[in-house]
Amino acid sequence: MTEKVDLFHLKRLQCFNDAVFAIVATILVLPLRKLEEAAVGSTSLEDQLKDKWPQLLIYLVGFLVICAVWESHVLRFRILSQVDDVLVWLNLGSLLFTSFLPFTCALERMFTETHLPMMLICGNLLILEVLEVIMIVYAFHQPRLLDREFENLSQQEMKQRMKLMLVKKAVNPVLYILAGALSLAKIELALVVVAIVIISPCINRLVGVIYLKFTPVYLTESESDRMFGNFIDKERVESFSDGLFAIVSTLLILDITVEDFLTQAKVNFTDIGETLSDMKPEIFTYGATFVVVALLWFTHHSLFHYIERLNQVMLVFNNISLAFVGLSPLINVTLDRYAGNDNPDSRLAVQVAAIIVFMASITQGVVFIIALCKGPNYLESRADPRAASRTHSYLALKLAIVPLMTFLVYIAATLCPNSRLDDVYLIAAGFTAVIFIVMKLVFSCYWDSCRCRRQAVLISQDLVIESEFYNVVENQ
């Protein structure tokens, strides 16, 4: 028996990939955190947002493209059962170029008028696709690395399946080459082409299915689902999402430990106690934003607890939600600079924060609605209104609270005077957390009372049956 000296399980490499992609996607927001520092003189927040909206657009497109590249990695692991040293190093090389994407995206945000940054982005993504192709070809030439379903296939059948995988990978390189060429003429057109990559997993699947119709290749149902399935592993999505939430919540502390940290000169001028007292607004804003991110993670966790499987559309909306969660550090720094102290930009700062949180939460609700419309294969029976109306209602209320509260914050920011706006965000964050706790207590009491009533009914039925039994015995 041959000793497997260089074969490893997939789990740790998968977790490492998920962590790297989550970090890469999250740190795209770091240049945007310094948005207000570019202000000169009396430049208002509104003027800055108008000037910088292309940067926000590039952030969103870049984030979602990175998510699509991550999904490509996830789908590749579907055909594998284990990895060897060569595949591990090829994967690490792929992660090297993945980690370079924030740099190229930052170049594009800063120098949107020139074509070189966009060409660097397309070249970077094209290298990732080439490495992906190399890994697929290598895996099919090392059958021991493939899933057990491929064990009994002939050499010809293996080649046919490899071609199918490669045909699916042909779409993205074409898009990258086209976008790079268009960047020489018009950057906006190149950005639109790159944005198509966001839905490329759906396009790749369609191309593979069309190719399959014109080739004499027979796939079992399991093989077809593995190579062309419309589903993504829920555990990998949870791992990627949890990593992103963890990184975002950690980045929030940078505002009071790096940018606004105590200086020796300020402490010498007053004292450390008074200086810390002056930092209370920044500390409270950090705490409130952390609570908001934690609440978004809680609703995401509650949703995925009842999700049975995800299709491509659900994954895209989940990625959009995560993209807006990734903007939480921007919320923090904008509120620190502009909310309170009768600042004329307080209203807009709170409204921007409300819009970002609303988009992050409402897209979670869209994922739930899609799963609900798709039926029991996508949503566990416990959350199906036809089977468990109370659990469904509880989950629906959880998903509705944050969008509703952020909508109220937006209305309050529109109606309240500027002098009170610094408190609206803080109060809303704390009050929303209290609502979740109270709702849990109310539902727990309700379920306990229902359980007691059911038990009382069962006991009374047992007593009736017992009395009828004794009556029959006595009559006999």
Side-chain angles (χ1 to χ4, degrees), residues 26-88:
T26 307
I27 62 177
L28 290 177
V29 78
L30 290 182
L32 293 178
R33 289 178 63 257
K34 300 178 183 285
L35 188 66
E36 78 294 334
E37 294 179 5
V40 178
S42 59
T43 304
S44 66
L45 177 60
E46 182 179 1
D47 291 335
Q48 291 181 69
L49 292 176
K50 287 180 179 178
D51 293 338
K52 301 297 183 180
W53 73 264
Q55 295 188 12
L56 292 169
L57 179 62
I58 291 170
Y59 160 79
L60 290 173
V61 173
F63 187 101
L64 296 175
V65 167
I66 289 173
C67 290
V69 175
W70 166 79
E71 185 180 352
S72 178
H73 277 241
V74 174
L75 296 176
R76 184 230 306 160
F77 277 94
R78 276 186 175 183
I79 65 171
L80 300 175
S81 62
Q82 52 194 355
V83 292
D84 62 2
D85 289 345
V86 175
L87 208 54
V88 168

Side-chain angles (χ1 to χ4, degrees), residues 43 52 93 99 181 197-198 225 268 280 359 361 395 418 422:
T43 304
K52 301 297 183 180
S99 65
V197 177
I198 297 170
D225 183 63
N268 291 338
K280 283 193 296 186
M359 292 301 299
S361 56
L395 177 59
N418 280 349
D422 53 334

Side-chain angles (χ1 to χ4, degrees), residues 298-372:
F298 175 69
T299 54
H300 188 276
H301 166 73
S302 301
L303 171 62
F304 273 72
H305 181 68
Y306 294 105
I307 292 288
E308 191 73 34
R309 53 200 314 193
L310 287 98
N311 61 21
Q312 303 288 349
V313 178
M314 294 166 66
L315 182 62
V316 169
F317 277 102
N318 180 73
N319 293 340
I320 293 173
S321 175
L322 295 178
F324 282 98
V325 171
L327 288 173
S328 298
L330 179 62
I331 294 176
N332 218 31
V333 75
T334 304
L335 290 175
D336 284 341
R337 300 297 187 272
Y338 292 101
N341 300 323
D342 295 326
N343 193 311
D345 288 320
S346 290
R347 189 183 314 281
L348 181 58
V350 176
Q351 288 175 335
V352 168
I355 290 172
I356 291 173
V357 179
F358 178 83
M359 292 301 299
S361 56
I362 200 67
T363 42
Q364 291 182 1
V366 173
V367 174
F368 174 65
I369 292 172
I370 294 173
L372 196 62

